[in-house]
Amino acid sequence: MKAFMNIKNKWWLLIAVFAASCKKDSTDGFLSPALKYTNPSIKVAVGASLIQSGAMVTDESTKPLTFSIDGIYYEDGKLADKVMAYKVDTYFWQAEYTGKEKTVEELNQKRTKVNRPAIDINPENGNIVIYPEASDTTQLVKGKYIIDVRVKNSGGEIVVKKALTIDVSYALPYYYRFAGVDGNLTGIDVTFDRQQPTGNKILVYVLKKDGSPVDPKLLLGYDYSSTPGVTDLKDWHSLGLNNPTKYTEFPDHLELEIAGYPLPFVAGQVLRIDMYNNGEVNGQYFNYWFDMAILKEGIWKVTIKLKYN
């Protein structure tokens, strides 16, 4: 009986020690040496949209944690002082951007202008971001950058060396993505030509397969609205924030004047263009649609070549 009591007392002692150690861990905290990014090396095209690394994997480290960029280095190991000092004006959003906003004032009610490091970090989860406004190629030169991240919690702090490698290139000054065709079209070829580096116009040409122009009056925007009495045309009349400010039809092209770039007005967003013809152009109904954005100011020529049998 005495032996049993001794064993019983030892078990209670072990439980008490274990409980005490757990309490100590919860007080002191645990900071894992295995902190890492899921993708430690990423290629990015800066300028078109917000770039994100994703949150750091914390390996059961005690929360909350605080993340900061400890250093940004060139591929040769030298500190990239110029990159760390490079800041841009961007926006933090408090409400969803819908694309239905009519004025800049309405848009600004949903966002706050901030000045942030071009390569930034979310202090709560370690998500590294590069803002689309970071378009100065003299400040953020094309090439590889290696980032050290400092992580702190109640257990202490650690610098994760070479946590993320970013291979920086630059996006084109426009964005295009084919979306679909219907009717007798087999495809479309769309080209963007920045004819002048300054200005606020877009010239839109639609060409038949023989290269002759289509009168823009013959092309109609497709209505995306399902509400009676409400229209939501995805055409060149509807470019967001009352753009275009002027819409002029010529027999062979459209001329659009724009209030400002990027187009649409919010960096990282795209416009849907969806046009159809009832058969007057080539004898049969057709429909084409695509997504686009123009990121830099200037006079732009957009050419849409129709492909059909």
Side-chain angles (χ1 to χ4, degrees):
M1 181 69 179
K2 186 177 180 181
F4 173 77
M5 291 301 295
N6 285 337
I7 293 172
K8 183 178 178 181
N9 289 337
K10 287 179 181 178
W11 274 111
W12 278 112
L13 179 61
L14 288 172
I15 292 171
V17 170
F18 179 74
S21 66
C22 287
K23 185 176 181 181
K24 184 175 185 296
D25 284 344
S26 65
T27 301
D28 294 346
F30 169 65
L31 187 56
S32 173
L35 293 161
K36 65 178 182 179
Y37 289 103
T38 302
N39 297 314
S41 181
I42 58 175
K43 291 185 176 182
V44 300
V46 176
S49 61
L50 182 73
I51 294 164
Q52 304 186 67
S53 69
M56 182 173 274
V57 178
T58 58
D59 189 35
E60 300 184 356
S61 296
T62 304
K63 297 180 179 180
L65 298 102
T66 303
F67 300 84
S68 60
I69 291 177
D70 191 69
I72 302 176
Y73 301 86
Y74 297 112
E75 194 173 10
D76 63 4
K78 294 180 180 178
L79 186 66
D81 307 78
K82 186 164 62 173
V83 176
M84 293 185 68
Y86 179 29
K87 292 188 175 183
V88 297
D89 290 328
T90 186
Y91 293 93
F92 284 172
W93 291 80
Q94 294 83 42
E96 181 184 2
Y97 169 74
T98 65
K100 305 292 185 184
E101 294 81 5
K102 298 296 184 183
T103 64
V104 174
E105 289 73 24
E106 183 182 349
L107 200 65
N108 286 339
Q109 290 177 2
K110 299 183 174 185
R111 63 185 186 174
T112 302
K113 191 173 185 178
V114 294
N115 185 256
R116 299 294 303 173
I119 299 180
D120 206 354
I121 190 168
N122 184 326
E124 296 182 353
N125 64 13
N127 181 33
I128 289 177
V129 301
I130 304 178
Y131 298 106
E133 294 84 0
S135 57
D136 188 343
T137 58
T138 64
Q139 296 287 329
L140 183 61
V141 179
K142 181 180 177 181
K144 288 186 178 180
Y145 297 90
I146 299 162
I147 301 175
D148 291 352
V149 175
R150 183 178 296 273
V151 188
K152 298 180 181 181
N153 72 354
S154 58
E157 64 179 73
I158 187 173
V159 175
V160 184
K161 295 287 188 180
K162 300 180 179 179
L164 185 70
T165 298
I166 301 176
D167 191 351
V168 170
S169 62
Y170 278 88
L172 294 171
Y174 66 88
Y175 171 84
Y176 167 76
R177 183 182 66 186
F178 171 77
V181 294
D182 199 4
N184 75 330
L185 293 186
T186 59
I188 53 174
D189 288 330
V190 181
T191 58
F192 292 76
D193 178 22
R194 191 182 184 204
Q195 298 190 317
Q196 294 184 29
T198 60
N200 63 340
K201 288 184 180 180
I202 302 174
L203 311 176
V204 182
Y205 290 80
V206 179
L207 306 179
K208 299 177 185 179
K209 67 178 182 180
D210 64 2
S212 61
V214 174
D215 189 332
K217 290 185 175 66
L218 301 179
L219 297 168
L220 303 173
Y222 196 88
D223 189 357
Y224 276 54
S225 176
S226 58
T227 305
V230 177
T231 58
D232 183 20
L233 296 177
K234 301 295 184 183
D235 66 2
W236 297 102
H237 286 93
S238 309
L239 304 180
L241 292 181
N242 292 325
N243 275 318
T245 56
K246 187 176 180 181
Y247 180 103
T248 307
E249 291 179 331
F250 293 94
D252 63 341
H253 74 283
L254 286 176
E255 184 176 292
L256 312 173
E257 293 187 14
I258 305 300
Y261 295 93
L263 187 74
F265 195 68
V266 175
Q269 302 298 317
V270 298
L271 296 165
R272 168 61 57 91
I273 302 296
D274 193 336
M275 310 296 292
Y276 73 94
N277 174 266
N278 60 11
E280 295 177 67
V281 172
N282 60 11
Q284 296 185 56
Y285 160 85
F286 66 76
N287 181 211
Y288 63 82
W289 58 103
F290 60 87
D291 297 323
M292 60 159 280
I294 296 178
L295 309 176
K296 291 188 176 182
E297 69 169 317
I299 296 178
W300 287 83
K301 180 180 179 182
V302 180
T303 303
I304 304 155
K305 179 72 176 292
L306 304 177
K307 298 167 70 175
Y308 51 91
N309 296 323

